[in-house]
Amino acid sequence: MCGIVGITSNKQVTSTIINSLKKLEYRGYDSAGIATLNNGFINEVKCEGRVDTLEKNLSQTNLKGTIGIGHVRWATHGIPSTINAHPHSSEKVSVVHNGIIENSTILKKYLIKKGHIFKSQTDTEVIVHLITEYLKKNNLKKSILKMLKKLHGSFALGIIFKDQPDLIIGARRGSPLAVGYGPNENYLGSDSYALKSMTNKISYLNDGEFCIIKKDQIEFFDSNGKKINKKILQLSSTENNYDKGEYKHYMAKEIEEQPLTIKNCVNEYIDKINSNINIFNFPWKSEEINSILLIGCGTAYHSCLMAKYWFEQITTLNVNVDIASEFRYRKNNFKKDTMYIFVSQSGETADTYAALDLCNKNNMKTCSVVNVVESSIARESKFVLPIHCGPEIGVASTKAFLGQMLVLYILCLKLSYMRKDINKKKYLEKINSLLSLSKLVKLSLETESKIQLVCSSFVNIKGCMFLGRGYSFPIALEGALKLKELAYVHAEGYPAGEMKHGPLALIEEGMPVVVLAPRDHYYKKTMSNMQEVIARGAKVLLITNKNKDEVHSENIWEKIEVENTSEDLLPFLITIPLQKLAYHSANKKGYDIDKPRNLAKSVTVE
Ligand code: M6R
């Protein structure tokens, strides 16, 4: 999704801005641009498409300047095009914007009446003209305050001015924004990835705040313009050099990293010497919590759904799951004895953030499960459980999904033991199984060769289905989502037992159906449902686990077996072939695997 970079320095900034924009490419975007100030003039270069194209265009223009702003845009208002790409500029001011201005139509009418001429179809352009208008009668700070008060919606802004050779304004409401501190230069960025190649010292703006960045000073203000102080945070250096290495795509690398990320996460949470789960500083007593509500979007929602099955099986807590974009606008009966758990890889997803904000405003117990520990969701939750996966760059979430499930499972075990829902023997058994998970995930990666053989059947099809029951149902949803987003194939995840209530009508001769049937207590039921689709012509790819009992069923097209483990942990193992299926199907079609069309990594608009 959109990304912002800003730099003021005593050196030329164009190439540093471009490098930083490249770090933001993982977010998903459709156009890019840069504006600098040189000899009192604002100059822009913009393009539809990738930062590489912008770089080529720049090589022909010799854009100079020691201050500038850059942007990658994911279209909301107005088609992806050069004219709609950011920055948007008037003679006086240039603006980059993440988010959506909800009252842009009304503001545009008002500004047109005042004589302003609009060039683009974007909502962002109203910001440019509002500031230009206010600057006629007000000083810079007053103009910014007036402009911010006029805007409805969500935004993170970076602004430079014709008459200010060393000044960038950053402002946020809803969308995240950070500043970075460098030697003789300072930075603005929509997230820490944008800033990490330049500095490891950063501060985050909170909702409603704005800042004035000069090359040797950064000042912060609240929404009334009152000066405030900010902590400077030190970022870890481990994420600075995350690249694809020998892999063709980040996604391929991230799938293969899973044994390691699982191992790291287990090491973080499991005390092997005392066979216990370490969740330190948990802020609530277990008896204060009687129910759990898990909230997320997309893949994170699927890990929430998975957790519901575990919590119900292993604890006596009431558990519900919600999609963040639905939760945030429903009438909610907030309950003091509920723990609200927000799951988000990026920690910046606008809908999840808004749901968290709503719970915080109602003074609820909020906990987040995140990958990016400096993210907005992590910072604003009362308790944070990191998944310790390292950066995930591929838009399709893989290692973060396993990490989210793992942390939710660990939390479930801990709460269950604290509440005496399971005895010590069971608790220790389950901890013990977790210790071999990384090794088993590694063995699941060996399903690759078989997946490469079957994936051609998933490439040019009208549609396909992923079926599972119980623990395998959320994984079926996730498998279908992966195939949709990467191979652009219509795929449905469905509870296997629900097929006869309608979707069975879709099954026709030769339609590929992935059946997830590990040998858990749903196995026999799922096998019966599998027969129902086979009988109607489906080409079934069965994913199960190795077992001494053969699978007794005829007419299965192909079978993939993962290792054996406890029922609780089988979902981790059967996820791997589904990730690989989506990856290889998309690869066969030559699609842009790390940046699928229309999608973004960090979904910072609602
Ligand atoms: O960063 P988040 O985990 O909050 O992102 C939520 C979804 O946007 C994300 O999981 C999305 O569904 C993935 N592209 C799926 O692979």
Side-chain angles (χ1 to χ4, degrees), residues 82-293:
T82 303
I83 199 92
N84 287 335
H86 299 208
H88 292 281
S89 311
S90 67
E91 198 203 322
K92 294 267 177 208
V93 53
S94 183
V95 175
V96 287
H97 164 219
N98 291 355
I100 294 177
I101 305 303
E102 286 168 358
N103 58 339
S104 62
T105 317
I106 300 169
L107 293 173
K108 194 169 173 177
K109 271 191 193 148
Y110 158 79
L111 288 158
I112 287 172
K113 270 195 195 147
K114 292 255 171 204
H116 292 263
I117 296 166
F118 283 74
K119 293 180 265 188
S120 75
Q121 304 158 321
T122 64
D123 51 343
T124 306
E125 212 183 329
V126 296
I127 304 172
V128 176
H129 294 290
L130 269 182
I131 304 172
T132 309
E133 181 63 28
Y134 293 146
L135 279 172
K136 288 180 188 164
K137 290 193 187 147
N138 303 279
N139 65 22
L140 186 137
K141 195 171 155 199
K142 186 109 188 269
S143 303
I144 294 299
L145 274 166
K146 281 186 87 161
M147 174 276 293
L148 293 174
K149 290 226 155 76
K150 277 272 175 220
L151 302 182
H152 296 174
S154 68
F155 52 81
L157 303 174
I159 311 166
I160 57 171
F161 303 82
K162 175 182 161 54
D163 303 328
Q164 300 287 342
D166 175 27
L167 187 149
I168 304 176
I169 293 284
R172 82 158 271 195
R173 192 191 298 155
S175 301
L177 198 61
V179 299
Y181 304 80
N184 306 318
E185 54 184 29
N186 286 318
Y187 321 100
L188 181 72
S190 45
D191 68 21
S192 58
Y193 287 110
L195 301 175
K196 268 181 180 158
S197 56
M198 303 179 287
T199 181
N200 61 355
K201 283 194 203 131
I202 66 168
S203 297
Y204 289 99
L205 273 81
N206 289 331
D207 247 13
E209 293 175 355
F210 72 97
C211 62
I212 298 179
I213 305 173
K214 297 183 176 171
K215 56 180 177 270
D216 50 10
Q217 182 195 37
I218 307 182
E219 291 177 302
F220 296 91
F221 303 90
D222 69 11
S223 54
N224 296 317
K226 196 169 147 244
K227 210 165 160 191
I228 48 172
N229 292 323
K230 281 266 152 195
K231 262 201 216 145
I232 300 181
L233 309 169
Q234 193 87 19
L235 294 178
S236 67
S237 56
T238 47
E239 293 174 13
N240 281 1
N241 298 318
Y242 188 74
D243 60 32
K244 285 203 286 261
E246 75 216 36
Y247 292 92
K248 189 171 168 195
H249 301 105
Y250 276 106
M251 186 189 177
K253 183 178 189 211
E254 286 156 7
I255 292 174
E256 295 298 316
E257 274 175 355
Q258 291 177 111
L260 182 65
T261 54
I262 293 278
K263 190 172 165 194
N264 290 344
C265 191
V266 165
N267 286 344
E268 288 289 336
Y269 286 102
I270 308 281
D271 172 352
K272 289 181 193 155
I273 297 168
N274 299 308
S275 293
N276 203 354
I277 291 172
N278 286 336
I279 292 184
F280 298 119
N281 304 322
F282 190 66
W284 308 290
K285 293 194 183 107
S286 61
E287 52 280 17
E288 288 172 348
I289 301 168
N290 285 318
S291 63
I292 292 209
L293 180 56

Side-chain angles (χ1 to χ4, degrees), residues 504-565:
L504 206 52
L506 292 171
I507 304 292
E508 52 187 50
E509 198 59 41
M511 179 185 190
V513 174
V514 181
V515 176
L516 304 175
R519 318 308 170 101
D520 54 17
H521 67 277
Y522 300 94
Y523 176 66
K524 285 194 180 138
K525 300 286 172 206
T526 314
M527 293 306 275
S528 304
N529 300 138
M530 181 179 79
Q531 289 310 324
E532 291 160 9
V533 292
I534 289 178
R536 283 151 184 93
K539 199 170 155 185
V540 164
L541 168 62
L542 171 66
I543 299 188
T544 184
N545 55 329
K546 291 179 184 158
N547 195 282
K548 57 184 183 328
D549 297 329
E550 266 298 292
V551 173
H552 294 294
S553 175
E554 286 176 2
N555 301 324
I556 295 172
W557 168 53
E558 285 291 355
K559 182 176 71 178
I560 287 178
E561 289 180 329
V562 297
E563 295 300 309
N564 204 3
T565 181

Side-chain angles (χ1 to χ4, degrees), residues 1 27 98-100 154-155 172-176 207 295-297 324-325 328-329 342-344 346-358 376-377 601-606:
M1 203 137 280
R27 295 165 73 104
N98 291 355
I100 294 177
S154 68
F155 52 81
R172 82 158 271 195
R173 192 191 298 155
S175 301
D207 247 13
I295 298 170
C297 305
S325 55
R328 63 183 291 192
Y329 291 115
F342 300 86
V343 181
S344 174
S346 60
E348 301 295 353
T349 301
D351 287 319
T352 313
Y353 178 81
L356 165 69
D357 191 45
L358 191 62
S376 306
I377 289 175
K601 183 70 183 163
S602 203
V603 185
T604 49
V605 294
E606 62 169 296

Side-chain angles (χ1 to χ4, degrees), residues 296-302 343-350 352 369 377 392 394-398 400 404 478 481-482 485-486 596 599-603:
C297 305
T299 289
Y301 169 72
H302 296 157
V343 181
S344 174
Q345 186 284 131
S346 60
E348 301 295 353
T349 301
T352 313
V369 173
I377 289 175
E392 188 181 69
V395 163
S397 191
T398 52
Q404 289 160 354
E478 177 60 9
L481 178 65
K482 288 283 97 84
E485 69 177 335
L486 291 165
L599 299 182
K601 183 70 183 163
S602 203
V603 185

